[in-house]
Amino acid sequence: MAHPEALAQKVLERCRTLAQFSEEEGRLTRTFLSPPVRAVHQALRGWMEALGMAVRVDALGNLIGRYPGPHPEAPLFLLGSHIDTVRDAGPYDGVLGVLLALALVEGLEGRRLPLALEVIAFSEEEGVRFGVPFLGSRAVAGQFPAGLLALKDAEGRTVAEAIRAFGLDPGAIPQAAYPPGRVRGYLEFHIEQGPVLETLGCPLGVVEAIAGQSRLELAFQGQANHAGTTPMALRKDALAGAAEWMGLVEREAQATPGLVATVGSIAALPGVANVIPGEVRLSLDVRHAQDPVRTQAVARLLRHAQQVAERRGLGLEHRTLHEQPAVPTDPALSEALARAVAASGYPVHRMVSGAGHDAMVMASLCPTALLFLRSPGGLSHHPGESVHLEDVEAAVRVGLSFLGGLCST
Ligand code: HGY
Ligand code: MN
Ligand code: MN
């Protein structure tokens, strides 16, 4: 059998190969169906076909490799993760899960399982280009509202136009959905993207639930004016108002156990040094493992924004771009995963994921499990993101044991 360490080595080499395919010079940024996605598809297709897998691309640009079972009607088990990235990303977020799945197929060395495997490279999980995440897995899970096709990116292009520009047909999106009941389950490997496993000295984590998330866009509207002639008492400074509110966001999150709240992007208009900002547009990302805690926190933060705006004579607009309830992973499948971790000789640590994952969408289609790999330094969504070779080897060993266990039930 191909040794798990050799398979792990190949996974890391391939992650580095795919990290070269970026839409920006000198850093890794690969958004939904951007030109470098074609190079990623070509590389994955080559690696999959070398394993005897049939490869297809669905209407959302998900690339899927099929490792057949004993007959066409054999039960189906899915593995995968996403191939899009945030801006200035690290080389492992997403693609590691796709390449680990391919390593398991390679580790079978042509042995047929009593079920078929399909490895999915989801086209869009981060929500960078259109502001709404999980476009790829929504289509696979049959949860793609047609209204999403009209979302526009920064250049004013819609999701539908992006799909057509890639050579795909938005009209075929319904065919991307797997028939419910056809799928035995879904397993995703992903870096933890946080400090927990490293602090515990654990290579792997069995995820029991994925925190819910709210993504909003807010705009404070003031009055642009001359920075030199407008007395402080007569200003309607949108950026000063936004800054006051951002301090309240941080204080609310610090005061609420388990809550995280982030203003990740901000744009002050017109954005020149000698003009008082007339408008500020900013994002808000709020997460918590319990949905009521998250939704009540969002309501408080919007009340704070209203109060700051009123006190400063500013306008306020806000809209919710995405609302994702917390999702538990499947208890039976997660228990099978924990057994595989223990049987492979690794400590079992059960945990909640603060990051969102395609697994939270796939859970609406089939039983779903998620295995974390330790993140050195707890660093992710950063070019310094890394993973230990021995932890990737551990994931290969656990994945092969898990598939073996799946086939013996
Ligand atoms: O933002 C997230 O939770 C993930 O990285 N998509
Ligand atoms: Mn990410
Ligand atoms: Mn990810």
Side-chain angles (χ1 to χ4, degrees):
M1 174 177 104
H3 194 282
E5 184 180 0
L7 291 171
Q9 191 68 46
K10 186 182 282 189
V11 166
L12 292 184
E13 283 158 16
R14 289 177 169 181
C15 285
R16 287 191 282 271
T17 298
L18 297 186
Q20 298 165 62
F21 305 138
S22 174
E23 61 197 75
E24 292 184 330
E25 202 53 44
R27 64 183 202 170
L28 174 53
T29 300
R30 191 169 59 234
T31 57
F32 179 58
L33 297 186
S34 61
V37 169
R38 291 191 192 286
V40 172
H41 277 191
Q42 187 180 359
L44 289 174
R45 180 182 290 274
W47 296 332
M48 289 176 168
E49 288 173 348
L51 292 170
M53 299 172 84
V55 183
R56 66 184 191 276
V57 177
D58 72 15
L60 247 291
N62 299 309
L63 180 130
I64 301 159
R66 179 179 173 81
Y67 183 76
H71 53 78
E73 293 318 303
L76 178 57
F77 193 84
L78 304 178
L79 302 117
S81 194
H82 61 95
I83 59 168
D84 67 310
T85 75
V86 293
R87 294 205 182 294
D88 199 10
Y92 303 106
D93 177 1
V95 291
L96 178 74
V98 178
L99 295 168
L100 264 167
L102 290 190
L104 298 192
V105 173
E106 184 167 352
L108 294 174
E109 293 186 306
R111 287 193 309 279
R112 282 282 170 260
L113 301 177
L115 34 76
L117 297 179
E118 291 196 357
V119 177
I120 308 176
F122 290 110
S123 56
E124 201 293 330
E125 186 270 351
E126 298 286 4
V128 171
R129 181 171 176 185
F130 290 98
V132 169
F134 310 125
L135 297 180
S137 44
R138 289 171 193 257
V140 162
Q143 309 275 331
F144 191 94
L148 291 181
L149 289 171
L151 285 175
K152 292 192 175 180
D153 65 11
E155 280 72 47
R157 269 191 302 261
T158 65
V159 171
E161 287 162 351
I163 289 172
R164 286 192 202 94
F166 200 80
L168 301 168
D169 171 14
I173 289 175
Q175 284 80 351
Y178 281 75
R182 256 299 268 115
V183 183
R184 268 285 297 280
Y186 169 76
L187 169 63
E188 182 166 357
F189 297 98
H190 203 288
I191 47 174
E192 176 205 341
Q193 301 182 289
V196 171
L197 292 174
E198 182 171 61
T199 308
L200 293 170
C202 263
L204 304 171
V206 177
V207 175
E208 292 191 306
I210 303 170
Q213 55 178 276
S214 301
R215 289 197 195 182
L216 293 88
E217 187 180 70
L218 291 90
F220 286 91
Q221 288 125 354
Q223 177 61 56
N225 210 330
H226 196 296
T229 58
T230 312
M232 294 307 287
L234 299 181
R235 294 182 175 209
K236 293 189 186 307
D237 184 333
L239 187 50
E244 179 184 345
W245 177 70
M246 286 163 63
L248 293 170
V249 168
E250 186 182 47
R251 275 201 288 287
E252 275 288 346
Q254 287 168 338
T256 312
L259 188 83
V260 286
T262 312
V263 175
S265 74
I266 184 165
L269 303 175
V272 294
N274 58 350
V275 178
I276 301 166
E279 180 174 34
V280 171
R281 293 194 163 282
L282 65 180
S283 65
L284 177 66
D285 178 315
V286 180
R287 312 215 189 170
H288 196 278
Q290 277 96 41
D291 291 338
V293 175
R294 170 173 53 84
T295 52
Q296 287 159 21
V298 170
R300 282 199 304 277
L301 294 177
L302 289 177
R303 278 199 300 277
H304 284 320
Q306 202 63 48
Q307 289 156 1
V308 167
E310 278 161 20
R311 194 162 5 89
R312 288 170 171 265
L314 303 176
L316 175 70
E317 286 177 359
H318 59 83
R319 65 191 180 116
T320 299
L321 297 175
H322 177 62
E323 190 82 50
Q324 168 67 52
V327 173
T329 55
D330 180 78
L333 208 61
S334 297
E335 207 39 50
L337 187 57
R339 283 197 299 275
V341 171
S344 306
Y346 300 102
V348 177
H349 177 69
R350 293 171 171 81
M351 62 192 292
V352 172
S353 169
H357 296 288
D358 289 305
M360 67 200 309
V361 177
M362 294 299 282
S364 64
L365 174 72
C366 62
T368 290
L370 176 57
L371 185 70
F372 272 173
L373 284 77
R374 172 171 33 191
S375 284
L379 190 62
S380 183
H381 282 187
H382 183 281
E385 177 183 283
S386 65
V387 69
H388 294 307
L389 171 65
E390 65 268 24
D391 295 351
V392 179
E393 178 186 343
V396 170
R397 291 178 184 281
V398 168
L400 289 171
S401 168
F402 174 81
L403 286 180
L406 212 56
C407 299
S408 59
T409 51

PDB file of all heavy atoms in Angstrom, residues 254-266:
ATOM      1  N   GLN A 254     -16.417  41.187  23.305  1.00  0.00           N
ATOM      2  CA  GLN A 254     -15.562  40.841  24.459  1.00  0.00           C
ATOM      3  C   GLN A 254     -16.416  40.516  25.689  1.00  0.00           C
ATOM      4  O   GLN A 254     -16.054  39.690  26.514  1.00  0.00           O
ATOM      5  CB  GLN A 254     -14.620  42.011  24.773  1.00  0.00           C
ATOM      6  CG  GLN A 254     -13.498  42.149  23.734  1.00  0.00           C
ATOM      7  CD  GLN A 254     -12.731  43.461  23.853  1.00  0.00           C
ATOM      8  OE1 GLN A 254     -13.265  44.437  24.414  1.00  0.00           O
ATOM      9  NE2 GLN A 254     -11.507  43.506  23.334  1.00  0.00           N
ATOM     10  N   ALA A 255     -17.612  41.117  25.747  1.00  0.00           N
ATOM     11  CA  ALA A 255     -18.449  40.942  26.949  1.00  0.00           C
ATOM     12  C   ALA A 255     -19.385  39.734  26.831  1.00  0.00           C
ATOM     13  O   ALA A 255     -20.051  39.356  27.792  1.00  0.00           O
ATOM     14  CB  ALA A 255     -19.283  42.204  27.176  1.00  0.00           C
ATOM     15  N   THR A 256     -19.421  39.102  25.635  1.00  0.00           N
ATOM     16  CA  THR A 256     -20.364  37.979  25.438  1.00  0.00           C
ATOM     17  C   THR A 256     -19.579  36.688  25.240  1.00  0.00           C
ATOM     18  O   THR A 256     -18.969  36.493  24.181  1.00  0.00           O
ATOM     19  CB  THR A 256     -21.259  38.240  24.204  1.00  0.00           C
ATOM     20  OG1 THR A 256     -21.780  39.568  24.273  1.00  0.00           O
ATOM     21  CG2 THR A 256     -22.374  37.218  24.104  1.00  0.00           C
ATOM     22  N   PRO A 257     -19.553  35.770  26.211  1.00  0.00           N
ATOM     23  CA  PRO A 257     -18.744  34.538  26.092  1.00  0.00           C
ATOM     24  C   PRO A 257     -19.040  33.766  24.806  1.00  0.00           C
ATOM     25  O   PRO A 257     -20.203  33.557  24.451  1.00  0.00           O
ATOM     26  CB  PRO A 257     -19.178  33.717  27.316  1.00  0.00           C
ATOM     27  CG  PRO A 257     -19.680  34.721  28.291  1.00  0.00           C
ATOM     28  CD  PRO A 257     -20.301  35.822  27.491  1.00  0.00           C
ATOM     29  N   GLY A 258     -17.994  33.432  24.084  1.00  0.00           N
ATOM     30  CA  GLY A 258     -18.143  32.585  22.888  1.00  0.00           C
ATOM     31  C   GLY A 258     -18.522  33.355  21.633  1.00  0.00           C
ATOM     32  O   GLY A 258     -18.583  32.785  20.540  1.00  0.00           O
ATOM     33  N   LEU A 259     -18.786  34.671  21.773  1.00  0.00           N
ATOM     34  CA  LEU A 259     -19.187  35.453  20.597  1.00  0.00           C
ATOM     35  C   LEU A 259     -17.949  36.060  19.946  1.00  0.00           C
ATOM     36  O   LEU A 259     -17.038  36.516  20.627  1.00  0.00           O
ATOM     37  CB  LEU A 259     -20.131  36.583  21.009  1.00  0.00           C
ATOM     38  CG  LEU A 259     -20.770  37.356  19.845  1.00  0.00           C
ATOM     39  CD1 LEU A 259     -22.000  36.610  19.322  1.00  0.00           C
ATOM     40  CD2 LEU A 259     -21.157  38.775  20.259  1.00  0.00           C
ATOM     41  N   VAL A 260     -17.938  36.034  18.592  1.00  0.00           N
ATOM     42  CA  VAL A 260     -16.913  36.785  17.852  1.00  0.00           C
ATOM     43  C   VAL A 260     -17.630  37.704  16.875  1.00  0.00           C
ATOM     44  O   VAL A 260     -18.676  37.330  16.313  1.00  0.00           O
ATOM     45  CB  VAL A 260     -15.925  35.863  17.097  1.00  0.00           C
ATOM     46  CG1 VAL A 260     -14.959  35.189  18.047  1.00  0.00           C
ATOM     47  CG2 VAL A 260     -16.643  34.830  16.252  1.00  0.00           C
ATOM     48  N   ALA A 261     -17.128  38.924  16.748  1.00  0.00           N
ATOM     49  CA  ALA A 261     -17.719  39.915  15.844  1.00  0.00           C
ATOM     50  C   ALA A 261     -16.573  40.666  15.172  1.00  0.00           C
ATOM     51  O   ALA A 261     -15.619  41.060  15.852  1.00  0.00           O
ATOM     52  CB  ALA A 261     -18.616  40.879  16.611  1.00  0.00           C
ATOM     53  N   THR A 262     -16.670  40.802  13.847  1.00  0.00           N
ATOM     54  CA  THR A 262     -15.543  41.364  13.087  1.00  0.00           C
ATOM     55  C   THR A 262     -16.029  42.358  12.047  1.00  0.00           C
ATOM     56  O   THR A 262     -16.983  42.047  11.309  1.00  0.00           O
ATOM     57  CB  THR A 262     -14.795  40.222  12.356  1.00  0.00           C
ATOM     58  OG1 THR A 262     -14.547  39.157  13.265  1.00  0.00           O
ATOM     59  CG2 THR A 262     -13.509  40.697  11.721  1.00  0.00           C
ATOM     60  N   VAL A 263     -15.400  43.535  12.025  1.00  0.00           N
ATOM     61  CA  VAL A 263     -15.580  44.435  10.885  1.00  0.00           C
ATOM     62  C   VAL A 263     -14.364  44.211  10.005  1.00  0.00           C
ATOM     63  O   VAL A 263     -13.261  44.654  10.324  1.00  0.00           O
ATOM     64  CB  VAL A 263     -15.681  45.909  11.329  1.00  0.00           C
ATOM     65  CG1 VAL A 263     -15.736  46.834  10.103  1.00  0.00           C
ATOM     66  CG2 VAL A 263     -16.889  46.106  12.223  1.00  0.00           C
ATOM     67  N   GLY A 264     -14.538  43.435   8.924  1.00  0.00           N
ATOM     68  CA  GLY A 264     -13.390  43.011   8.115  1.00  0.00           C
ATOM     69  C   GLY A 264     -13.085  43.956   6.973  1.00  0.00           C
ATOM     70  O   GLY A 264     -11.973  44.010   6.494  1.00  0.00           O
ATOM     71  N   SER A 265     -14.109  44.646   6.491  1.00  0.00           N
ATOM     72  CA  SER A 265     -13.818  45.563   5.383  1.00  0.00           C
ATOM     73  C   SER A 265     -14.531  46.891   5.640  1.00  0.00           C
ATOM     74  O   SER A 265     -15.609  46.937   6.241  1.00  0.00           O
ATOM     75  CB  SER A 265     -14.275  44.972   4.047  1.00  0.00           C
ATOM     76  OG  SER A 265     -15.679  45.046   3.953  1.00  0.00           O
ATOM     77  N   ILE A 266     -13.859  47.987   5.220  1.00  0.00           N
ATOM     78  CA  ILE A 266     -14.423  49.324   5.421  1.00  0.00           C
ATOM     79  C   ILE A 266     -13.983  50.212   4.263  1.00  0.00           C
ATOM     80  O   ILE A 266     -12.866  50.087   3.775  1.00  0.00           O
ATOM     81  CB  ILE A 266     -13.979  49.914   6.784  1.00  0.00           C
ATOM     82  CG1 ILE A 266     -14.641  51.275   7.047  1.00  0.00           C
ATOM     83  CG2 ILE A 266     -12.468  50.024   6.888  1.00  0.00           C
ATOM     84  CD1 ILE A 266     -14.534  51.731   8.494  1.00  0.00           C
TER      85      ILE A 266
END
